[in-house]
Amino acid sequence: MSKQRVLSGIQPSGKLTLGNYIGAMINYVALQHEHDCYYMIVDLHAITVPQEPAALREQSEAVAALFVAVGLDPAKAAIFLQSHVRAHAELGWIMTTLSYMGELERMTQFKDKAAGKDAVGAGLFTYPALMAADILLYKTKLVPVGEDQKQHLELTRDLAGRFNHRFGETLVVPEPFIPKVGARIMSLDDATKKMSKSNPNPGSYIALLDSPDDIRKKISRAKTDLGREIVFDPAEKPEISNLMSIFSQCTGKSLDEIQKDYEGQGYGTFKKDVAEAVVSVLEPIQRKYADIRASGEIHRILKDGAERASAVAETTVREVKEAMGFVLPARD
Ligand code: TYM
């Protein structure tokens, strides 16, 4: 594959989970070696639901440190906060004006988040237009994400096409880059729901900063299907299939290999091995995370990342505004 522009983002709203890591971050790290990568902490997206200021600040820095801890190299990939690059808010507004109410109403993530609430913020509704702007600003080709973001990516593709059709070829139509195994890591207590940091039961998810003992406990208590065979069959055996996906991504073993290795062995042995595999992936990440937080280096990394990102994003916004007929400010 030739060198491509890559962009993705994670919300700083609560602890990151093993789902974020397997569905998205493993690919962030893999892509940085060959491609031109931009990874951001989407703080402007986080405020589409109420955030406590101190918590937003802490979590934004924590996610930035986790980006480095999982193996992103700030010399290769630009790591930055969305709010540091003003072009996001600017193109976000432009994309909002290009979006139709009907297409935003169809977004399943909006429907899920708005369900049962009396007051739903307008920002939650227009969120996918801001996400489209995030991607289109960088003329992004590949967007590493988990399965749940696919529909937002489709909308982004539609908006890019609509813009180009109306105003001339300006934006690049992006593609989702979704892992073959682990695109949707499920909750440990209910394999019909995706693993999520917003689940009120902490036993349902593994946070990247959970202690090894907590990880062992959570996996040993994870719900399992009837029977005792370790076979990958998401329809009939969703819980064990979920643990197999986790194990596969933490060890590099294929699902077939795992199935063969555990033939005739029960869930107990398998769960112990899954727990140890997760611990051995997360322990070094946690050590590195502690070092980065202690070093205070994260502010410099974010400043440098925002400068690199702004240079690209500002150019695109200028092109977009020019194509649309805005009078551009004179350059000195
Ligand atoms: P967010 O913060 O909910 O999740 C970040 C990334 O983690 C993936 N993910 C999962 N993958 C597999 N299994 C799971 N259980 C799981 N949970 C989360 C998500 O698919 C995502 O890739 N709207 C985005 C943030 C965003 C963005 C962007 C992403 C804003 N602008 C531009 C890409 C490009 C979101 O809320 O992700």
Side-chain angles (χ1 to χ4, degrees):
M1 212 194 299
S2 61
K3 194 166 179 149
Q4 309 273 11
R5 193 54 74 61
V6 173
L7 171 126
S8 199
I10 296 192
Q11 293 202 55
S13 42
K15 305 165 183 170
L16 295 200
T17 70
L18 196 59
N20 296 124
Y21 179 70
I22 292 177
M25 295 167 105
I26 290 184
N27 276 338
Y28 294 3
V29 176
L31 289 166
Q32 71 176 338
H33 305 293
E34 310 281 335
H35 301 287
D36 186 18
C37 296
Y38 294 80
Y39 296 122
M40 63 179 173
I41 299 101
V42 294
D43 47 4
L44 296 175
H45 278 96
I47 60 163
T48 55
V49 295
Q51 298 290 337
E52 210 270 299
L56 180 64
R57 204 168 292 128
E58 159 58 26
Q59 283 162 12
S60 298
E61 291 184 10
V63 175
L66 272 171
F67 274 13
V68 181
V70 298
L72 287 179
D73 175 357
K76 289 189 173 142
I79 297 172
F80 63 101
L81 289 166
Q82 187 182 26
S83 63
H84 285 186
V85 179
R86 293 190 187 170
H88 287 268
E90 194 170 4
L91 191 64
W93 171 249
I94 292 174
M95 287 299 142
T96 304
T97 67
L98 281 182
S99 308
Y100 299 125
M101 298 286 285
E103 59 194 355
L104 295 174
E105 273 160 6
R106 280 196 295 277
M107 295 291 122
T108 54
Q109 194 149 317
F110 170 72
K111 287 196 251 180
D112 290 348
K113 289 195 176 174
K117 301 226 170 74
D118 295 335
V120 177
L124 200 59
F125 185 63
T126 57
Y127 175 118
L130 179 59
M131 176 161 164
D134 297 342
I135 296 166
L136 300 176
L137 271 179
Y138 298 87
K139 308 248 171 113
T140 305
K141 193 66 202 164
L142 300 177
V143 186
V145 281
E147 178 87 27
D148 62 341
Q149 297 300 316
K150 227 171 147 181
Q151 197 187 25
H152 289 159
L153 255 295
E154 267 318 307
L155 177 72
T156 306
R157 290 166 58 84
D158 289 347
L159 288 173
R162 192 172 302 157
F163 186 96
N164 290 344
H165 183 70
R166 295 237 299 251
F167 303 111
E169 228 28 64
T170 312
L171 299 172
V172 171
V173 180
E175 280 162 29
F177 188 86
I178 296 178
K180 290 202 176 63
V181 174
R184 193 171 168 83
I185 296 296
M186 308 312 280
S187 172
L188 298 179
D189 63 349
D190 176 358
T192 63
K193 293 199 194 116
K194 79 167 184 186
M195 181 181 282
S196 163
K197 51 202 169 201
S198 54
N199 191 316
N201 172 15
S204 71
Y205 60 81
I206 294 187
L208 297 185
L209 299 176
D210 273 348
S211 71
D213 277 352
D214 280 347
I215 294 170
R216 291 187 182 103
K217 244 183 252 152
K218 287 181 183 185
I219 293 181
S220 79
R221 288 177 193 160
K223 195 172 158 211
T224 36
D225 314 276
L226 293 175
R228 61 188 306 277
E229 278 103 75
I230 316 290
V231 283
F232 191 77
D233 181 350
E236 295 298 320
K237 297 179 75 101
E239 337 268 12
I240 213 71
S241 301
N242 189 40
L243 291 178
M244 285 176 79
S245 298
I246 293 174
F247 193 56
S248 168
Q249 286 288 12
C250 290
T251 56
K253 287 189 181 183
S254 71
L255 296 169
D256 276 350
E257 277 175 84
I258 298 170
Q259 206 158 302
K260 280 201 200 90
D261 288 355
Y262 287 90
E263 218 179 302
Q265 305 198 40
Y267 290 159
T269 320
F270 179 59
K271 277 171 131 187
K272 271 205 190 89
D273 290 355
V274 175
E276 290 319 311
V278 173
V279 168
S280 64
V281 167
L282 295 189
E283 259 188 332
I285 292 175
Q286 295 176 359
R287 274 198 298 275
K288 195 153 178 209
Y289 173 81
D291 288 349
I292 296 156
R293 295 290 323 244
S295 75
E297 225 187 310
I298 209 65
H299 296 281
R300 189 195 51 75
I301 292 171
L302 291 172
K303 182 164 183 278
D304 173 63
E307 279 166 13
R308 283 153 61 192
S310 291
V312 180
E314 288 297 336
T315 306
T316 307
V317 166
R318 212 179 153 89
E319 287 169 11
V320 162
K321 288 167 85 174
E322 185 158 38
M324 292 177 83
F326 283 93
V327 175
L328 298 182
R331 291 198 209 240
D332 297 330

